[in-house]
Amino acid sequence: MTASQTEPAPHSKSRFSTVLPYLLVAPPILMVFGLIFFPALQSTLRTLTDAETGAFSLARYEMFFADKTSVTSLIFTIQIALESLLGLFVICFPLALYLRFNTSRIATGVQMISLLPMFVPGIMSAYALIRFVRGRGLFETLIYQVSPLLADAYYSPYVKPEGIVIGLIWEAIPFTVLILLAGLRQLDNGLIESAQDIGANRWYIFTRIILPLMRRSILIAFCLNFISMFGAYTIPYLLGPAAPQTMGVLMQRTLQDYQQPLEAETQAVITFLICSLVGLVYVQSVSGERVRKG
Amino acid sequence: MRLSKWIVRAIVLGLMLALGVVGVHAQEKSVINLYSSGDTNITDWFQNVVIPAFEAEYPQYTVQFTNSRAAGDEPIIDRAIAALTSGDDPMVEVMDIDPRGFASSIEAGLWYEPTVEDIPNLADVIDAATRLTPLAAAYRGSQVLIAYNSEMIAEEDIPATFAELLEWIKANPGQFVYCRPDKGGSGGNFVRRAVYEVSGKDPSVWTPEFDQSLADKYFPEAMALLQDIHSSIYDNGAYPAGNNPVLELFASGEVSMISAWSDQAIQGINRGFLPETTKILQFSDLPMPGGYTHLAIPKNAANLKGAQDFVNWMLSPAGQSLVVEVIGGFPAISWDMLSPELQERFNSVITDNVPTWPGGDYNPLLTKAWYETVATNIDPNS
């Protein structure tokens, strides 16, 4: 047994093992390219060319931005997504902190409840929310039991922008809690304890220790939720107003009701571009972290 | 020994028989693929009433029903068009659609034109139903009407005409609602009734031949009528996204008057989903439009004969009785052909006046005008 005899075996093995991972990731990558990137690129190029001459043209974008309805929809969608995200963090941050630092039985129950929306299909939660929040719905009836005067003042968010925000927040809670909780679980208890030892108060610990270390989790939750909220359809369609509408609903209406596939494509490409910008931020934050970790 | 031999023979024989029966059975039953994206009342009706009754009469067919409400009819039609060029089986025999809503399918020449030779019962279909399109067979009608809660509205306040309804809405803000015109016909036909109102209450003005000048002339006026009542609509102008959400608002007592499909309202009352005090009315000057629903057959359907037999049965008095009895729809054949009891029972909705909106190119324009001026309440002239 000499070294030269054993050499070929590990060599061929290592060649196979270098190729294997690429083989394994090839199908999903091909699929993503074939089903998403390629059609998206095609669409994007099509929106940038004149259908007749084939020359470069911004005419379709000029049309989009000259049309009051589509611009209103775009702004409305961004607003809805940002408002929903704000509400989402206001609800999920305290919830995640509570679940991280509390180990009681109640906390386990709360965690289970907070994950519940994940298991309810979107269309069902939309109808459930309608029945809950609309005028004379369950919520108003409950308020009425407490005080009829309060029920008179009840403002139903159904078929209003607020309806969309409530629906989107409800749908996104489980995912966000999971991401934030995962980030919080990575925090070293020692850091917090030593800060407490030298007299730091809770607010100080939260803003100076927890928040900075949570940067990445927050960014992930922000980006992924923004993308899904921006392109949401079921909730804005069923809970939102007839005007203005979000991009998802507008696209569907443009394509099916107005039978204007070109305009719908332009709307889709603009939506896609905005979402991919946010996606880029996400990819950078994730891969940046990896490089730093080396 | 002898006995066991006989047992083996018996088993073999039994197996052969069983196989034979299954084989013959499988050969005999030919499949009819039926697609519908209708509301739940319609898809339930197909699955639980129509198909069992048809299969009982025609045991040689099996109807394979697919509810296409979620995905829409477009993908099915696109597949059939693709199959037309490639010569494949489109996997669809009958669709519960009006081909006129799918321009690409008409361009591709996808649809078989039903004839009396293939579908004898077509001869009994009334004129109002047949004149709409030659590309499909009209098989049931319904009409939009006004439903109101008689407990909440005094008899003398009940509007009799469209103009009176508009007055009533303004006098009772928040009590009336109709849905977005493109999301449900109960809202769509309410909007179209406003178009009739400003075009001399004469539906004959609106023929299937699209005329841009008519749209330019009358749509803005109709929109102005609807804008005028916008802020008096439920919750300061909140329009739900479909027929059912409107019915639910009415059922909960949130509003006391709505525009609704005749079939959905009648069924709702019968099933106790709508309050017992629900009453329905139709305008005395000009009823609200309704429409006929069609069964369309792609000409490349693998089981063309089965599709024709299905449509033919649907148009028979037996099939048409199910339309009236179960879903409260209007028959496509004359009421006289149905049983006297049925005619008696549905006396209140029997009408020969069902103005039919031509649809086609008018629809996108009207929907757009509504979204951009009424829903936003932006004056088109500003």
Side-chain angles (χ1 to χ4, degrees):
Chain A
M1 280 292 206
T2 60
S4 60
Q5 269 177 318
T6 50
E7 232 173 32
H11 182 73
S12 68
K13 196 181 170 191
S14 77
R15 188 182 286 168
F16 179 68
S17 56
T18 34
V19 178
L20 184 68
Y22 293 104
L23 277 178
L24 288 177
V25 296
I29 286 187
L30 282 177
M31 225 152 91
V32 166
F33 268 92
L35 292 178
I36 300 171
F37 277 102
F38 184 61
L41 191 71
Q42 263 190 323
S43 272
T44 313
L45 289 178
R46 236 189 341 257
T47 56
L48 286 169
T49 44
D50 189 300
E52 272 162 33
T53 60
F56 176 79
S57 149
L58 282 175
R60 281 169 68 176
Y61 290 90
E62 279 162 18
M63 245 171 81
F64 178 91
F65 286 103
D67 180 40
K68 219 166 155 183
T69 311
S70 46
V71 175
T72 319
S73 281
L74 184 63
I75 296 169
F76 179 67
T77 314
I78 296 174
Q79 257 176 356
I80 288 282
L82 292 179
E83 279 170 22
S84 305
L85 277 167
L86 185 72
L88 190 64
F89 279 110
V90 167
I91 291 173
C92 291
F93 233 108
L95 198 59
L97 284 171
Y98 165 74
L99 294 173
R100 163 70 171 83
F101 295 108
N102 196 316
T103 47
S104 68
R105 265 222 180 116
I106 300 174
T108 324
V110 169
Q111 176 158 18
M112 276 166 70
I113 293 174
S114 73
L115 295 185
L116 181 76
M118 194 175 253
F119 306 104
V120 182
I123 187 130
M124 278 169 66
S125 48
Y127 275 106
L129 277 169
I130 290 176
R131 301 195 80 123
F132 185 72
V133 301
R134 69 153 191 243
R136 297 199 194 203
L138 185 59
F139 191 51
E140 200 189 341
T141 314
L142 287 175
I143 296 176
Y144 189 84
Q145 300 303 321
V146 179
S147 147
L149 265 175
L150 265 180
D152 271 350
Y154 178 66
Y155 170 85
S156 158
Y158 175 46
V159 212
K160 309 234 176 63
E162 294 85 340
I164 312 180
V165 172
I166 292 174
L168 290 178
I169 291 178
W170 150 271
E171 269 200 325
I173 284 176
F175 174 71
T176 314
V177 166
L178 280 181
I179 298 262
L180 293 182
L181 203 52
L184 280 170
R185 290 240 156 93
Q186 287 178 345
L187 283 186
D188 188 356
N189 273 346
L191 277 176
I192 295 161
E193 279 158 17
S194 46
Q196 273 170 339
D197 286 346
I198 53 169
N201 63 19
R202 286 178 169 207
W203 178 247
Y204 195 86
I205 294 174
F206 178 66
T207 50
R208 296 300 170 92
I209 299 176
I210 296 180
L211 268 189
L213 287 172
M214 288 285 289
R215 206 182 131 261
R216 184 159 160 249
S217 304
I218 294 172
L219 210 60
I220 292 176
F222 178 88
C223 292
L224 294 185
N225 277 319
F226 182 90
I227 292 170
S228 76
M229 285 168 169
F230 199 83
Y233 177 74
T234 313
I235 296 272
Y237 168 47
L238 288 169
L239 283 160
Q245 292 188 323
T246 61
M247 290 302 282
V249 184
L250 177 74
M251 259 182 260
Q252 192 271 345
R253 202 174 85 203
T254 310
L255 181 66
Q256 275 195 325
D257 297 331
Y258 302 166
Q259 295 171 4
Q260 295 175 325
L262 294 183
E263 279 81 352
E265 190 177 44
T266 315
Q267 294 161 3
V269 169
I270 288 172
T271 308
F272 178 74
L273 288 179
I274 290 174
C275 287
S276 33
L277 271 181
V278 177
L280 211 64
V281 174
Y282 165 72
V283 169
Q284 241 183 355
S285 79
V286 174
S287 60
E289 197 79 7
R290 262 194 207 152
V291 171
R292 238 175 292 151
K293 276 187 180 166
Chain B
M1 186 73 188
R2 226 185 178 158
L3 193 69
S4 66
K5 207 172 172 185
W6 275 109
I7 291 174
V8 171
R9 276 186 190 167
I11 290 173
V12 169
L13 190 73
L15 276 176
M16 278 172 69
L17 271 175
L19 273 175
V21 168
V22 170
V24 170
H25 215 68
Q27 250 179 4
E28 237 179 28
K29 290 248 177 191
S30 65
V31 174
I32 301 169
N33 290 292
L34 170 66
Y35 282 81
S36 173
S37 59
D39 280 325
T40 318
N41 60 334
I42 301 302
T43 48
D44 278 358
W45 174 68
F46 270 122
Q47 268 174 301
N48 303 328
V49 181
V50 172
I51 293 171
F54 171 74
E55 286 178 344
E57 199 142 321
Y58 287 81
Q60 67 269 40
Y61 295 124
T62 304
V63 181
Q64 184 72 45
F65 179 76
T66 308
N67 181 339
S68 47
R69 185 164 52 236
D73 293 307
E74 212 110 307
I76 318 298
I77 292 174
D78 287 345
R79 187 177 65 190
I81 296 174
L84 192 63
T85 26
S86 67
D88 290 332
D89 180 358
M91 310 280 283
V92 48
E93 268 71 37
V94 185
M95 291 189 81
D96 180 27
I97 56 142
D98 185 341
R100 290 173 299 170
F102 302 90
S104 61
S105 71
I106 295 178
E107 251 167 66
L110 178 66
W111 306 106
Y112 151 81
E113 292 191 17
T115 60
V116 181
E117 287 82 69
D118 300 334
I119 303 173
N121 288 338
L122 213 55
D124 299 331
V125 176
I126 56 173
D127 242 21
T130 44
R131 63 158 185 250
L132 302 169
T133 173
L135 296 172
Y139 76 102
R140 65 181 166 91
S142 47
Q143 190 163 17
V144 170
L145 31 76
I146 296 293
Y148 64 96
N149 192 331
S150 57
E151 209 176 37
M152 294 160 84
I153 304 165
E155 199 66 40
E156 65 268 18
D157 292 339
I158 290 158
T161 62
F162 189 72
E164 280 179 34
L165 175 70
L166 297 184
E167 288 309 313
W168 186 90
I169 293 169
K170 281 195 275 185
N172 300 274
Q175 286 302 304
F176 180 84
V177 72
Y178 64 96
C179 73
R180 298 171 203 172
D182 56 327
K183 299 306 174 203
S186 66
N189 283 326
F190 181 80
V191 171
R192 289 160 199 157
R193 181 61 182 80
V195 175
Y196 285 153
E197 187 73 10
V198 296
S199 54
K201 296 181 193 175
D202 180 12
S204 68
V205 171
W206 302 92
T207 59
E209 283 79 46
F210 176 72
D211 182 349
Q212 179 74 46
S213 65
L214 280 178
D216 290 343
K217 188 171 169 199
Y218 293 119
F219 285 6
E221 274 181 65
M223 293 305 117
L225 275 190
L226 297 174
Q227 270 185 307
D228 197 31
I229 57 166
H230 170 78
S231 54
S232 307
I233 297 291
Y234 166 66
D235 218 356
N236 303 310
Y239 304 91
N243 299 322
N244 278 324
V246 164
L247 289 170
E248 286 200 6
L249 284 178
F250 180 76
S252 72
E254 196 52 3
V255 293
S256 54
M257 202 185 278
I258 54 170
S259 76
W261 279 111
S262 54
D263 50 351
Q264 288 184 330
I266 290 168
Q267 215 179 19
I269 298 167
N270 288 345
R271 288 189 176 172
F273 168 64
L274 299 183
E276 264 176 44
T277 45
T278 306
K279 290 204 167 148
I280 47 185
L281 73 90
Q282 191 51 277
F283 299 130
S284 56
D285 49 349
L286 174 72
M288 272 198 273
Y292 284 91
T293 309
H294 297 77
L295 291 175
I297 305 173
K299 65 162 77 127
N300 53 343
N303 190 358
L304 192 60
K305 177 79 176 84
Q308 288 161 349
D309 285 349
F310 179 79
V311 173
N312 191 49
W313 179 82
M314 200 68 244
L315 295 176
S316 69
Q320 292 291 297
S321 300
L322 296 181
V323 168
V324 182
E325 239 170 310
V326 185
I327 52 170
F330 296 168
I333 61 177
S334 165
W335 280 92
D336 308 338
M337 296 184 69
L338 305 179
S339 74
E341 305 98 90
L342 264 190
Q343 294 182 42
E344 180 71 24
R345 232 171 86 201
F346 291 90
N347 207 9
S348 65
V349 290
I350 291 182
T351 171
D352 49 356
N353 193 358
V354 185
T356 319
W357 178 252
D361 288 341
Y362 285 124
N363 278 355
L365 279 180
L366 192 57
T367 306
K368 207 169 169 143
W370 185 86
Y371 271 103
E372 286 172 4
T373 59
V374 179
T376 46
N377 209 20
I378 293 170
D379 187 357
N381 305 318
S382 71

